[in-house]
Structures are given as structure tokens and as C-alpha cells.
Amino acid sequence: MKANLSRWAFVPIFILLLWFACTRGPQKGPPAASPTSGAELYAAECASCHGVSAKGDGPAAAALKVPPPDLTVLAKRNGGRYTDGQVYQIIEWGGAIASHGSREMPVWGVAFRPLSNENQKQVSDRIQALTDYIGTLQVK
């Protein structure tokens, strides 16, 4: 019975990823009216897993094999220093975080991925805005 349960453990995650893919639909790039503030980007792209409070308690968190981290303690876990460059890289490249997905198919779609030279700056600005916003969430 135990082996049977573990065989089906992936089903909730698969359903969640399928739901994300179906609700987002095909996208060629960030939509023209896409959020531009860090808070809006966080709400649109991160809160489903990391939670509105950024403590890793989003509605999709329960379906993940590895719970999302509490983003409010990144600085605390790093000796009181918020490393925005590292956070930027994780958003841009996935940071080898399985729940973020691969570079080719990140959970947030194309929101933080340049698809052409024309939108490279727009994507960089979006990542920086999100990185800066996460910095404001750090506990003292």
C-alpha cells in the first residue's frame, strides 16, 4: 500500500503545473499591460507558492514536494545582508530550484525571460523591481 501511495504522490504537483499552463495560455512575451512594480509582480508571479506574506505559505505550497522558503528571512539567514544579486540570479535563471522549473519552462512562464533583444531591458527591469521588492520584505 505504501509503494502505491508514493507512486501517486506526483499527481497533485502535475495537476497544479497543468493548471498553471492552461490558465496562462501561450505567451510570446510579457504582455503590454503586465505589472511593473515589484509588489504587482510578486502578487502575479510568486504569491501562489510563497504566499502573500512571503513566508512560504501560498495556496499552491501544499502541493509542492519541497515547501517554498520564507522570503522574509533571506537577509537573516545570510548574516543580516540581503544579497540582491543572488536573488536576481535565482529569478532570472531558476537557481537550480526544482520547484521554479527549468530555464526552458519556469513556473512563471515568460514573465522574467527575454524572448528577443527588444524586450531584454524590460525583462531586466522587471526582475530588478521584483528583487528590490523582496528586499523590502526582509525582517530586521
Side-chain angles (χ1 to χ4, degrees):
M1 181 70 177
K2 201 175 217 180
N4 212 9
L5 286 176
S6 64
R7 186 180 309 155
W8 293 101
F10 73 94
V11 172
I13 294 170
F14 177 76
I15 290 170
L16 177 67
L17 291 174
L18 185 61
W19 176 81
F20 278 135
C22 290
T23 58
R24 297 185 74 103
Q27 296 180 356
K28 293 184 179 176
S34 63
T36 55
S37 80
E40 290 175 304
L41 289 165
Y42 181 86
E45 307 296 341
C46 310
S48 61
C49 294
H50 290 282
V52 173
S53 66
K55 295 188 178 290
D57 58 354
L64 300 175
K65 187 175 184 178
V66 177
D70 179 344
L71 297 179
T72 67
V73 296
L74 297 176
K76 185 177 182 180
R77 291 190 337 221
N78 192 40
R81 191 170 147 254
Y82 177 67
T83 53
D84 61 336
Q86 182 180 14
V87 173
Y88 186 101
Q89 291 299 315
I90 289 170
I91 296 167
E92 184 176 30
W93 297 103
I97 298 171
S99 59
H100 281 181
S102 69
R103 174 79 170 132
E104 292 76 31
M105 191 175 182
V107 72
W108 50 74
V110 298
F112 303 113
R113 187 177 72 203
L115 299 175
S116 68
N117 289 336
E118 291 80 38
N119 76 340
Q120 175 71 45
K121 178 158 177 24
Q122 178 188 17
V123 171
S124 295
D125 291 346
R126 290 163 58 90
I127 295 172
Q128 190 62 55
L130 181 57
T131 300
D132 293 345
Y133 175 71
I134 293 170
T136 69
L137 302 175
Q138 302 307 296
V139 295
K140 303 295 177 202

